[in-house]
Amino acid sequence: MQILKSPALRRLFLFLAIMGPGIITSNVDNDAGGITTYSVAGATLGYKCLWIFLPIIVALVVIQEMCTRMGAVTGKGLADLIRERFGVKITFYAMLGLLLGNMGNIMSEFAGVAASMELFGVSKYISLPLAAFLVWWLVLRWSYKVVERVFLAACLVYFCYIFSGYLAHPLWGEVAKELVVPNFSFNSTYVVIMVGIIGTTIAPWMQFYIQSAVVEKGITVKDYIYTKYDVIVGSIMVNLIAVFIVICCAATLHVKGIRIETAKEAALGLAPLAGAGASILFAIGLLNASLFSASILPLSTAYFLCEAFGIEAGIDKSWREAPAFYWLYTILIIVGAGLILVPKISLIAVMFWSQVINGVMLPFVLIFMLKLVNNKDLMGEHVNGPVFNIISWVTVAVLISLTVLMVVTSFLPA
Amino acid sequence: MKTPKINHKGIRGLGKFQILGEYFFSQIKGRPIYDSEERRLGHLRDLAIRWEGEIPKVTGIKYVKGVQAHIPISHIKEIKPDRIVLKVKFADCEFIPLQPNEIYMGKWLMDKQIIDLKGSKVVRVNDIKLFWIATAEKKYLVPAAVDIGLRGLARRLGLEFLFKRRENILVWWQFIQHLEEKTASLTLRGERSQLDQLHPADLADLIEDLDYKTRTEFIGDLDVETAAEAFAEMELDTQVEILEHLDSRQASDILEEMPPDEAADLLGELPEEKSDELLNLMEPEEAQEVRELMDYEEGTAGALMTTEYIALPPDLTVNEAISRLRQLAAEAETIYYLYILDDHHRLSGVVSLRELLITEPVARLQDIMVTRVIQVHAHDEVEEVADLLNKYSLLAIPVISDDDEKMLGIITVDDVLEILIPDRSSFETFSNFFTSKRALR
C-alpha cells in the first residue's frame, strides 16, 4: 500500500472507487434516440449545430450536480424526497409519467438494437429475443458492482464514434470555429432539431437515476467532491461523443446533401463516403449504446416505481419476496422488445408520445428538485449558494421553455 | 354497525368507552368545519397530536393555512360524513397554539418512514387510522394505527375501490417506532427498550434498511451492546459499509463490544488509516487483542479464532470451576468447553460442561480432564480446521501457537460454517443491481 502514500495518487484511487453514477448516467443518455438525433442534426445542419454542446455541458453539470448532492447529503432518492415533501399524489403522477415515458425509451433502445444488428445482416426476429434475454439475464445474474464495471467498460466503446468521426475527414478548422461561435436561425427545421438535441440530452428519469445511484453507492458528503468530478467527466464525455457523431455525419452526409431520418441510414450512408470502417464503427457504437440503455432503463424504472410506493424491490430479493418488482422489470423488457417485432406498430408515434410525456414531466421534476435542494431542513449548509442558485434557475428556466417549445412544435403540422 | 376490532393498549387503558366513529386521516382531511351557528370556519388541514405516556391524543385541528392556532378537540360536537360540527360559536372559540410536545400528523407522520416493530422492518406511512371515542367524562380522537398497505395508498389516490377486496394492513400504535426527532423536547421514538426486545438479526435488517444519516442516529440511540449484537449479525460487506459512515467514536464503541475475531475481520477490510484511527480510540487492552488477530493471514486458523474462551487452572475443584464459570461466561464465545492451562499458558486438557455438571463437586479438574486434546496450529488452513471439527464432532477447537505451544484462542463451529457455506448473495439470490434495501423506501 506504499503507493497510496502519495496524496495525488490516493485522490485518484478514491475517484476511481467513487466514479460511476455520473459517467454512467451521462452515457445512458447517448442512447439510440440520442445517436439518431445527433446523426440527423449533423446530416441536416452540418457543423452549424455544434455550438449547442458547450451550453449543454453546463446544463448537464448543473442539474446532475444538484441531484448527486441531494443524494449524498440526505442519503435518500429523489422519489423518496418528493413523496415526503410533496405528498403521495404528486409522486404517483410523477411515477406514472416516468413509466410511460420510459416505456417509449425502452422501445427505442430495442429498435436501436434491431437496426444495428440488421446492419450486420442479422434479422430482428433473431437479434431482439436474444438481446432481451441477455439484458434480462445479465442484470439479474450479477451484482451491481460487477454490472457497474461492465457498464463503465461499455462506456469506452462509445469512443468508436471518435474514430468514426476521424475517418470521415472533417474540416477541423471549421469544426473548431463552429464549436464556439453560436449562430441562430429561425428556420423551423433548425429550431426543431436544436430543441430535439437538448430534449434528448436532459430527460426526467436521469435525475431519479443518478440520485439513487449515489445513494446506493453509499457516497456521503465526505466523499461527495469526487462525485462532482464524476459528473463533470461524464457530462464532458457524453457531449464529446455527441460532437463526433455530428462531425461524422456533417463531413460526409451533409456535404453530399444526403438527408437521413434514422441512425441506421446514417451508418449505411457512411460506407461509400467514409469507408466501411467508419460505417462498422458507427454500427457497433449504436449497438452498444442501445444495449447499454436497454439494460439500465427497465431495471431502474421498475425499481423507482416499487420503491416510491413501498413495494419490495431490489435484485437482492428473491422472486417470491419481490414479485411486483420482478414482473414489472420482465414486462418492461418483453413489451419493449416485443412491440418492435409487431409489424404494424409505428415506432415514430410511440417515440412522439414518449417525448411529449417526458417533455411535460421535465419542468415539474426540475422545479421539485430546485425546491428540495434549497430546503434548509433537508440540506442544511449544503443548499445552493446564491450564485449557483441563479445559474441553476436560469438553466432550469431555459430548459423548461425549450421543452415547452418542443412539445408545442411537435403538435404543429409539419 | 359492526364493532371495530381494537387492538390498542392505549385506548383500552382509558377504561370504559364507546366508539363513536373510526376514520382514516385521508378521509377526514379537508372536511369543512362549521360552528354551532352553521358558520363555516375553514376545513381540517392537519391534526396536532400529543404523546401522553402511551396514549397519543389529537389535541387540536388546524383549520386555516399558515395559522398555528388550533380548534381544541373538546369543542367538537360531532364528526359527520360531510362536515365537522362544533359545540360553540366561532366568537367563543378558544384557539390554542401548537405546544412544544405536539406535532402535526399530516406534516410529520404521513408518508414518512417508521419502524414496524412486529414485522421488524422499515415501512412508510400511507395513512393513519383514528378512533373517535367517548368515555364517561370526555371525548377523544385517538390515532390508533398506521396503514402501511396498498389499499391505504390507493385510498390516498382516490382509487380505493380498486382494492376493496384487500385487507388494510395496519400497524397498531404501540408497535411503531419513529425514526426522526422533530424537537428536542419531544421524544417521538418512545421507549428504546422495545427495540432491545427485537432479535439482533431483525435489528440488523432494520439498520441495513435505513439511510446513512438516520442510521447513525438510530445506532446512537441503542445501547452499545445491543448495537454490537445486531452488527455481528450482518454480512461483512454491510458491516464495512455501515462502519465507514458511522462517527468514529460510535464505531470504536461497537467494535469493543464485538468478539475480537469479528472486529479483526472487519477492521482488516477498512483502509489502513481508518482502522488505525478506530483501534486508537478503543480501550488499549481490547485493541491489542484485535491487533494481534489482524496479523494472521486470511484463511488460517489464527485469523479465524477468537480469544474469548474459558481458561482455568488444573488444581481447581469442580465446585470452584462452576462459580468461576459464572463470572466468565458472559464474555466467552462458547462455554461448553473449559480449557485447562498450565502456568506457561500451555493447554494441558479440556473439560466439557456436561462433564463438569455430572462430576461430584470436590473432584479436581486435572483428574477429570481429557488430556489428549484435538487442536490446530495458528497457521493451519481453514479446511483442516473444518475437517477436524467434523471428524471429532466438536463444537470448538483450540488454536495453539506455532512456535511456543501456548494456547492462543478457539475456533467455534459457526465461525467455520460462515466460511464454508458460500455467500448466498452471489449464488442463489441474484445479487443486487441496486443494493436496493434503503433507496427510496
Side-chain angles (χ1 to χ4, degrees):
Chain A
M1 288 279 121
Q2 197 56 42
I3 46 163
L4 290 186
K5 293 282 188 275
S6 147
L9 270 175
R10 249 188 53 134
R11 248 175 272 141
L12 180 66
F13 275 98
L14 261 172
F15 173 69
L16 288 177
I18 281 172
M19 78 170 193
I23 292 177
I24 290 177
T25 312
S26 297
N27 277 293
V28 177
D29 217 47
N30 268 352
D31 58 355
I35 291 169
T36 307
T37 312
Y38 305 139
S39 312
V40 172
T44 317
L45 303 177
Y47 302 125
K48 287 260 178 285
C49 59
L50 283 176
W51 67 273
I52 193 78
F53 289 101
L54 280 179
I56 287 182
I57 292 180
V58 176
L60 260 184
V61 171
V62 168
I63 305 266
Q64 296 196 0
E65 191 277 336
M66 286 192 280
C67 283
T68 51
R69 177 148 42 99
M70 274 198 280
V73 172
T74 63
K76 289 178 178 169
L78 186 57
D80 224 4
L81 294 179
I82 291 180
R83 175 152 181 204
E84 292 191 358
R85 206 74 212 169
F86 303 105
V88 75
K89 268 195 188 146
I90 281 173
T91 316
F92 177 77
Y93 293 120
M95 290 297 128
L96 191 68
L98 209 59
L99 175 67
L100 294 174
N102 278 2
M103 192 67 241
N105 285 346
I106 294 167
M107 280 181 69
S108 81
E109 308 312 341
F110 281 109
V113 172
S116 53
M117 289 306 281
E118 275 169 3
L119 287 169
F120 295 112
V122 181
S123 154
K124 66 178 177 180
Y125 295 97
I126 296 170
S127 64
L128 275 184
L130 266 176
F133 180 76
L134 184 77
V135 161
W136 183 81
W137 180 80
L138 174 99
V139 165
L140 289 189
R141 176 65 185 80
W142 301 102
S143 74
Y144 181 59
K145 264 190 189 157
V146 177
V147 174
E148 191 184 55
R149 297 287 133 173
V150 171
F151 284 166
L152 280 172
C155 288
L156 293 176
V157 182
Y158 280 101
F159 286 109
C160 274
Y161 285 114
I162 295 187
F163 294 115
S164 209
Y166 177 77
L167 289 175
H169 299 294
L171 306 167
W172 293 110
E174 195 155 339
V175 168
K177 189 192 118 210
E178 295 291 351
L179 267 176
V180 288
V181 182
N183 62 72
F184 300 94
S185 157
F186 289 99
N187 173 322
S188 76
T189 323
Y190 182 88
V191 173
V192 168
I193 289 179
M194 287 312 229
V195 173
I197 293 177
I198 296 165
T200 185
T201 313
I202 297 172
W205 70 268
M206 272 172 50
Q207 276 67 263
F208 292 90
Y209 180 81
I210 197 169
Q211 190 166 335
S212 294
V214 165
V215 172
E216 282 312 323
K217 233 180 158 183
I219 293 166
T220 61
V221 182
K222 208 175 53 190
D223 304 324
Y224 163 68
I225 181 78
Y226 298 103
T227 303
K228 210 176 203 170
Y229 298 144
D230 182 39
V231 165
I232 294 173
V233 170
S235 302
I236 292 177
M237 184 179 160
V238 70
N239 283 292
L240 183 72
I241 283 153
V243 163
F244 271 91
I245 296 173
V246 172
I247 292 175
C248 181
C249 294
T252 51
L253 305 171
H254 180 68
V255 172
K256 299 279 174 199
I258 301 170
R259 292 285 172 272
I260 55 159
E261 273 181 358
T262 64
K264 187 182 167 188
E265 287 171 19
L268 285 174
L270 276 180
L273 299 171
S279 175
I280 288 172
L281 283 172
F282 202 92
I284 291 176
L286 180 61
L287 176 64
N288 176 63
S290 310
L291 274 179
F292 188 65
S293 309
S295 312
I296 289 182
L297 279 176
L299 197 74
S300 57
T301 311
Y303 183 80
F304 299 140
L305 249 78
C306 289
E307 290 285 9
F309 300 114
I311 303 168
E312 295 279 335
I315 304 210
D316 57 336
K317 306 256 179 359
S318 71
W319 196 293
R320 205 176 338 152
E321 282 172 316
F325 165 74
Y326 281 101
W327 277 114
L328 196 54
Y329 172 61
T330 310
I331 289 169
L332 282 169
I333 290 183
I334 293 177
V335 173
L339 283 182
I340 304 295
L341 291 178
V342 179
K344 287 259 166 62
I345 293 229
S346 156
L347 186 64
I348 310 253
V350 172
M351 289 308 302
F352 170 78
W353 283 107
S354 106
Q355 207 174 30
V356 170
I357 292 166
N358 280 331
V360 171
M361 261 186 75
L362 188 68
F364 294 101
V365 173
L366 292 179
I367 289 171
F368 288 149
M369 238 180 67
L370 273 175
K371 293 197 95 161
L372 288 167
V373 84
N374 278 315
N375 184 322
K376 271 240 185 307
D377 290 343
L378 215 55
M379 299 293 290
E381 53 176 318
H382 301 281
V383 292
N384 281 354
V387 177
F388 193 84
N389 231 356
I390 294 171
I391 299 177
S392 52
W393 272 110
V394 168
T395 311
V396 166
V398 171
L399 282 175
I400 290 175
S401 27
L402 286 175
T403 317
V404 171
L405 192 66
M406 178 177 79
V407 172
V408 172
T409 52
S410 60
F411 277 103
L412 294 176
Chain B
M1 194 183 104
K2 180 175 87 183
T3 7
K5 185 183 82 194
I6 289 210
N7 183 2
H8 187 284
K9 262 205 309 205
I11 298 180
R12 279 190 263 124
L14 286 173
K16 226 170 114 67
F17 62 84
Q18 191 197 350
I19 296 173
L20 303 172
E22 51 173 323
Y23 317 95
F24 280 105
F25 179 70
S26 65
Q27 293 169 332
I28 55 170
K29 190 179 175 202
R31 246 179 230 187
I33 303 169
Y34 289 86
D35 72 358
S36 56
E37 294 178 323
E38 293 284 298
R39 246 182 56 187
R40 192 179 147 142
L41 306 185
H43 45 252
L44 189 147
R45 291 192 163 262
D46 213 334
L47 294 172
I49 47 176
R50 176 188 300 166
W51 261 256
E52 269 178 85
E54 282 208 358
I55 320 171
K57 287 180 196 117
V58 175
T59 54
I61 300 175
K62 182 174 160 141
Y63 69 104
V64 215
K65 196 175 177 183
V67 176
Q68 290 224 334
H70 310 134
I71 301 171
I73 215 79
S74 55
H75 281 2
I76 296 180
K77 190 169 152 223
E78 53 184 331
I79 303 175
K80 290 188 181 172
D82 63 333
R83 61 173 62 184
I84 294 167
V85 184
L86 304 185
K87 294 176 192 160
V88 293
K89 286 193 297 192
F90 176 69
D92 300 337
C93 250
E94 298 156 13
F95 295 105
I96 44 169
L98 188 74
Q99 305 297 313
N101 61 350
E102 293 175 343
I103 59 161
Y104 285 121
M105 179 180 274
K107 193 169 177 195
W108 294 123
L109 286 178
M110 293 289 270
D111 290 320
K112 300 294 185 294
Q113 287 183 312
I114 55 158
I115 293 176
D116 164 10
L117 289 167
K118 266 217 162 146
S120 41
K121 49 183 190 218
V122 180
V123 293
R124 218 175 255 291
V125 178
N126 287 337
D127 211 342
I128 295 167
K129 179 140 192 139
L130 298 145
F131 282 111
W132 176 228
I133 57 179
T135 61
E137 312 91 49
K138 258 171 120 172
K139 286 180 186 166
Y140 298 96
L141 188 59
V142 183
V146 161
D147 188 337
I148 56 168
L150 213 53
R151 185 168 167 183
L153 197 65
R155 187 182 314 114
R156 298 272 305 281
L157 297 168
L159 300 170
E160 197 182 8
F161 59 92
L162 293 177
F163 293 89
K164 275 285 182 222
R165 282 159 65 190
R166 256 181 199 259
E167 287 281 310
N168 282 312
I169 303 174
L170 299 178
V171 184
W172 294 93
W173 211 262
Q174 68 265 36
F175 298 118
I176 68 172
Q177 185 83 43
H178 298 273
L179 283 167
E180 284 163 67
E181 295 282 7
K182 284 304 166 223
T183 52
S185 60
L186 181 61
T187 325
L188 285 185
R189 293 184 180 136
E191 295 161 47
R192 283 290 137 183
S193 60
Q194 280 188 305
L195 287 178
D196 299 348
Q197 301 296 314
L198 291 176
H199 189 279
D202 287 336
L203 205 50
D205 284 344
L206 281 178
I207 292 174
E208 285 175 40
D209 277 352
L210 298 173
D211 62 78
Y212 80 95
K213 275 183 136 180
T214 320
R215 187 190 282 154
T216 310
E217 286 169 28
F218 184 82
I219 293 177
D221 280 345
L222 294 174
D223 64 72
V224 184
E225 281 159 47
T226 316
E229 273 173 33
F231 223 68
E233 294 288 334
M234 297 173 193
E235 301 267 335
L236 189 58
D237 291 353
T238 321
Q239 288 178 337
V240 172
E241 199 203 311
I242 293 182
L243 204 68
E244 278 181 331
H245 292 161
L246 282 184
D247 153 68
S248 295
R249 187 75 254 174
Q250 219 177 9
S252 68
D253 285 346
I254 291 177
L255 284 169
E256 267 172 32
E257 288 293 326
M258 286 173 71
D261 57 328
E262 289 193 22
D265 287 350
L266 186 44
L267 285 167
E269 295 290 317
L270 292 178
E272 216 175 301
E273 204 178 311
K274 180 86 182 173
S275 77
D276 280 345
E277 184 197 343
L278 293 177
L279 279 166
N280 288 335
L281 282 170
M282 287 168 67
E283 298 276 328
E285 206 177 304
E286 316 248 355
Q288 187 52 33
E289 257 177 71
V290 175
R291 268 183 228 271
E292 278 167 20
L293 286 173
M294 283 174 72
D295 285 338
Y296 293 104
E297 207 174 310
E298 208 173 315
T300 64
L304 202 60
M305 72 184 179
T306 175
T307 48
E308 295 183 333
Y309 57 95
I310 308 262
L312 296 171
D315 52 352
L316 233 52
T317 65
V318 166
N319 215 0
E320 288 164 332
I322 290 179
S323 56
R324 281 285 279 283
L325 190 58
R326 269 195 200 109
Q327 303 156 11
L328 297 171
E331 289 283 305
E333 177 125 351
T334 176
I335 56 158
Y336 193 72
Y337 298 123
L338 297 79
Y339 298 95
I340 316 300
L341 303 187
D342 67 11
D343 300 341
H344 303 289
H345 214 78
R346 279 188 302 242
L347 182 59
S348 40
V350 64
V351 176
S352 74
L353 187 62
R354 180 205 302 260
E355 201 72 38
L356 198 68
L357 293 176
I358 60 178
T359 316
E360 48 188 300
V362 291
R364 294 197 178 275
L365 294 180
Q366 57 200 357
D367 302 325
I368 61 167
M369 70 185 182
V370 178
T371 49
R372 225 190 122 263
V373 187
I374 310 299
Q375 57 194 42
V376 291
H377 285 96
H379 67 250
D380 287 348
E381 300 280 324
V382 177
E383 285 76 16
E384 210 168 314
V385 178
D387 284 345
L388 288 174
L389 281 169
N390 179 36
K391 183 173 173 193
Y392 297 101
S393 306
L394 297 170
L395 297 174
I397 195 165
V399 182
I400 308 298
S401 163
D402 295 333
D403 28 278
D404 56 9
E405 297 289 307
K406 280 185 181 159
M407 176 147 175
L408 298 172
I410 57 165
I411 297 173
T412 58
V413 73
D414 49 320
D415 288 338
V416 172
L417 274 182
E418 228 171 272
I419 303 276
L420 292 185
I421 293 182
D423 187 1
R424 237 168 57 101
S425 66
S426 57
F427 289 90
E428 286 164 33
T429 57
F430 295 118
S431 195
N432 29 3
F433 177 69
F434 281 108
T435 344
S436 96
K437 289 171 250 164
R438 305 178 319 259
L440 297 150
R441 222 178 298 159

PDB file of all heavy atoms in Angstrom, chain B residues 121-134:
ATOM      1  N   LYS B 121     -39.529  -4.215  10.251  1.00  0.00           N
ATOM      2  CA  LYS B 121     -38.987  -3.631   9.036  1.00  0.00           C
ATOM      3  C   LYS B 121     -39.306  -2.145   8.967  1.00  0.00           C
ATOM      4  O   LYS B 121     -40.161  -1.661   9.707  1.00  0.00           O
ATOM      5  CB  LYS B 121     -39.492  -4.360   7.792  1.00  0.00           C
ATOM      6  CG  LYS B 121     -40.956  -4.569   7.770  1.00  0.00           C
ATOM      7  CD  LYS B 121     -41.371  -5.350   6.556  1.00  0.00           C
ATOM      8  CE  LYS B 121     -42.861  -5.291   6.497  1.00  0.00           C
ATOM      9  NZ  LYS B 121     -43.688  -6.229   6.151  1.00  0.00           N
ATOM     10  N   VAL B 122     -38.613  -1.490   8.087  1.00  0.00           N
ATOM     11  CA  VAL B 122     -38.862  -0.066   7.900  1.00  0.00           C
ATOM     12  C   VAL B 122     -39.987   0.080   6.881  1.00  0.00           C
ATOM     13  O   VAL B 122     -39.926  -0.500   5.812  1.00  0.00           O
ATOM     14  CB  VAL B 122     -37.595   0.641   7.377  1.00  0.00           C
ATOM     15  CG1 VAL B 122     -37.848   2.121   7.194  1.00  0.00           C
ATOM     16  CG2 VAL B 122     -36.441   0.428   8.332  1.00  0.00           C
ATOM     17  N   VAL B 123     -41.012   0.826   7.250  1.00  0.00           N
ATOM     18  CA  VAL B 123     -42.157   0.968   6.348  1.00  0.00           C
ATOM     19  C   VAL B 123     -42.507   2.443   6.203  1.00  0.00           C
ATOM     20  O   VAL B 123     -42.000   3.278   6.938  1.00  0.00           O
ATOM     21  CB  VAL B 123     -43.393   0.209   6.878  1.00  0.00           C
ATOM     22  CG1 VAL B 123     -43.162  -1.273   6.866  1.00  0.00           C
ATOM     23  CG2 VAL B 123     -43.759   0.688   8.272  1.00  0.00           C
ATOM     24  N   ARG B 124     -43.386   2.723   5.243  1.00  0.00           N
ATOM     25  CA  ARG B 124     -43.808   4.094   5.044  1.00  0.00           C
ATOM     26  C   ARG B 124     -45.276   4.248   5.433  1.00  0.00           C
ATOM     27  O   ARG B 124     -46.084   3.355   5.186  1.00  0.00           O
ATOM     28  CB  ARG B 124     -43.602   4.482   3.582  1.00  0.00           C
ATOM     29  CG  ARG B 124     -43.137   5.891   3.427  1.00  0.00           C
ATOM     30  CD  ARG B 124     -42.824   6.188   1.990  1.00  0.00           C
ATOM     31  NE  ARG B 124     -41.389   6.230   1.731  1.00  0.00           N
ATOM     32  CZ  ARG B 124     -40.572   7.173   2.183  1.00  0.00           C
ATOM     33  NH1 ARG B 124     -41.012   8.133   2.949  1.00  0.00           N
ATOM     34  NH2 ARG B 124     -39.297   7.157   1.893  1.00  0.00           N
ATOM     35  N   VAL B 125     -45.596   5.379   6.038  1.00  0.00           N
ATOM     36  CA  VAL B 125     -46.958   5.625   6.497  1.00  0.00           C
ATOM     37  C   VAL B 125     -47.809   6.033   5.301  1.00  0.00           C
ATOM     38  O   VAL B 125     -47.608   7.097   4.727  1.00  0.00           O
ATOM     39  CB  VAL B 125     -46.970   6.753   7.548  1.00  0.00           C
ATOM     40  CG1 VAL B 125     -48.398   7.035   7.988  1.00  0.00           C
ATOM     41  CG2 VAL B 125     -46.095   6.391   8.724  1.00  0.00           C
ATOM     42  N   ASN B 126     -48.758   5.169   4.924  1.00  0.00           N
ATOM     43  CA  ASN B 126     -49.646   5.517   3.824  1.00  0.00           C
ATOM     44  C   ASN B 126     -50.888   6.249   4.321  1.00  0.00           C
ATOM     45  O   ASN B 126     -51.460   7.054   3.607  1.00  0.00           O
ATOM     46  CB  ASN B 126     -50.065   4.268   3.051  1.00  0.00           C
ATOM     47  CG  ASN B 126     -48.927   3.720   2.202  1.00  0.00           C
ATOM     48  OD1 ASN B 126     -48.004   4.456   1.863  1.00  0.00           O
ATOM     49  ND2 ASN B 126     -48.978   2.449   1.882  1.00  0.00           N
ATOM     50  N   ASP B 127     -51.296   5.922   5.535  1.00  0.00           N
ATOM     51  CA  ASP B 127     -52.474   6.569   6.098  1.00  0.00           C
ATOM     52  C   ASP B 127     -52.471   6.304   7.598  1.00  0.00           C
ATOM     53  O   ASP B 127     -51.692   5.477   8.081  1.00  0.00           O
ATOM     54  CB  ASP B 127     -53.749   6.006   5.450  1.00  0.00           C
ATOM     55  CG  ASP B 127     -54.856   7.058   5.381  1.00  0.00           C
ATOM     56  OD1 ASP B 127     -54.751   8.056   6.115  1.00  0.00           O
ATOM     57  OD2 ASP B 127     -55.813   6.868   4.618  1.00  0.00           O
ATOM     58  N   ILE B 128     -53.337   7.027   8.318  1.00  0.00           N
ATOM     59  CA  ILE B 128     -53.401   6.838   9.766  1.00  0.00           C
ATOM     60  C   ILE B 128     -54.849   6.623  10.168  1.00  0.00           C
ATOM     61  O   ILE B 128     -55.752   7.342   9.727  1.00  0.00           O
ATOM     62  CB  ILE B 128     -52.815   8.059  10.511  1.00  0.00           C
ATOM     63  CG1 ILE B 128     -51.326   8.177  10.206  1.00  0.00           C
ATOM     64  CG2 ILE B 128     -53.054   7.950  12.012  1.00  0.00           C
ATOM     65  CD1 ILE B 128     -50.711   9.482  10.614  1.00  0.00           C
ATOM     66  N   LYS B 129     -55.063   5.625  11.010  1.00  0.00           N
ATOM     67  CA  LYS B 129     -56.416   5.297  11.447  1.00  0.00           C
ATOM     68  C   LYS B 129     -56.688   5.985  12.782  1.00  0.00           C
ATOM     69  O   LYS B 129     -55.873   5.924  13.690  1.00  0.00           O
ATOM     70  CB  LYS B 129     -56.541   3.794  11.614  1.00  0.00           C
ATOM     71  CG  LYS B 129     -57.891   3.351  12.075  1.00  0.00           C
ATOM     72  CD  LYS B 129     -58.315   2.090  11.357  1.00  0.00           C
ATOM     73  CE  LYS B 129     -59.775   1.830  11.624  1.00  0.00           C
ATOM     74  NZ  LYS B 129     -60.468   1.382  10.445  1.00  0.00           N
ATOM     75  N   LEU B 130     -57.842   6.611  12.885  1.00  0.00           N
ATOM     76  CA  LEU B 130     -58.202   7.327  14.110  1.00  0.00           C
ATOM     77  C   LEU B 130     -59.509   6.781  14.659  1.00  0.00           C
ATOM     78  O   LEU B 130     -60.399   6.403  13.893  1.00  0.00           O
ATOM     79  CB  LEU B 130     -58.393   8.814  13.812  1.00  0.00           C
ATOM     80  CG  LEU B 130     -57.188   9.582  13.299  1.00  0.00           C
ATOM     81  CD1 LEU B 130     -57.637  10.628  12.311  1.00  0.00           C
ATOM     82  CD2 LEU B 130     -56.424  10.210  14.438  1.00  0.00           C
ATOM     83  N   PHE B 131     -59.623   6.756  15.992  1.00  0.00           N
ATOM     84  CA  PHE B 131     -60.903   6.418  16.615  1.00  0.00           C
ATOM     85  C   PHE B 131     -61.442   7.636  17.333  1.00  0.00           C
ATOM     86  O   PHE B 131     -60.707   8.341  18.026  1.00  0.00           O
ATOM     87  CB  PHE B 131     -60.728   5.274  17.611  1.00  0.00           C
ATOM     88  CG  PHE B 131     -60.617   3.933  16.942  1.00  0.00           C
ATOM     89  CD1 PHE B 131     -59.423   3.226  16.952  1.00  0.00           C
ATOM     90  CD2 PHE B 131     -61.721   3.380  16.311  1.00  0.00           C
ATOM     91  CE1 PHE B 131     -59.320   2.001  16.338  1.00  0.00           C
ATOM     92  CE2 PHE B 131     -61.627   2.143  15.689  1.00  0.00           C
ATOM     93  CZ  PHE B 131     -60.425   1.454  15.710  1.00  0.00           C
ATOM     94  N   TRP B 132     -62.722   7.852  17.185  1.00  0.00           N
ATOM     95  CA  TRP B 132     -63.414   8.941  17.881  1.00  0.00           C
ATOM     96  C   TRP B 132     -64.191   8.269  18.983  1.00  0.00           C
ATOM     97  O   TRP B 132     -65.135   7.540  18.726  1.00  0.00           O
ATOM     98  CB  TRP B 132     -64.308   9.648  16.861  1.00  0.00           C
ATOM     99  CG  TRP B 132     -65.212  10.752  17.294  1.00  0.00           C
ATOM    100  CD1 TRP B 132     -66.537  10.873  16.969  1.00  0.00           C
ATOM    101  CD2 TRP B 132     -64.885  11.912  18.043  1.00  0.00           C
ATOM    102  NE1 TRP B 132     -67.034  12.042  17.471  1.00  0.00           N
ATOM    103  CE2 TRP B 132     -66.043  12.695  18.142  1.00  0.00           C
ATOM    104  CE3 TRP B 132     -63.714  12.365  18.655  1.00  0.00           C
ATOM    105  CZ2 TRP B 132     -66.084  13.906  18.835  1.00  0.00           C
ATOM    106  CZ3 TRP B 132     -63.743  13.568  19.334  1.00  0.00           C
ATOM    107  CH2 TRP B 132     -64.918  14.332  19.420  1.00  0.00           C
ATOM    108  N   ILE B 133     -63.711   8.414  20.215  1.00  0.00           N
ATOM    109  CA  ILE B 133     -64.311   7.629  21.298  1.00  0.00           C
ATOM    110  C   ILE B 133     -64.783   8.520  22.438  1.00  0.00           C
ATOM    111  O   ILE B 133     -64.281   9.623  22.637  1.00  0.00           O
ATOM    112  CB  ILE B 133     -63.331   6.564  21.855  1.00  0.00           C
ATOM    113  CG1 ILE B 133     -62.054   7.231  22.336  1.00  0.00           C
ATOM    114  CG2 ILE B 133     -63.024   5.512  20.826  1.00  0.00           C
ATOM    115  CD1 ILE B 133     -61.066   6.259  22.905  1.00  0.00           C
ATOM    116  N   ALA B 134     -65.725   8.008  23.178  1.00  0.00           N
ATOM    117  CA  ALA B 134     -66.267   8.755  24.307  1.00  0.00           C
ATOM    118  C   ALA B 134     -66.164   7.914  25.566  1.00  0.00           C
ATOM    119  O   ALA B 134     -66.573   6.754  25.576  1.00  0.00           O
ATOM    120  CB  ALA B 134     -67.725   9.108  24.034  1.00  0.00           C
TER     121      ALA B 134
END
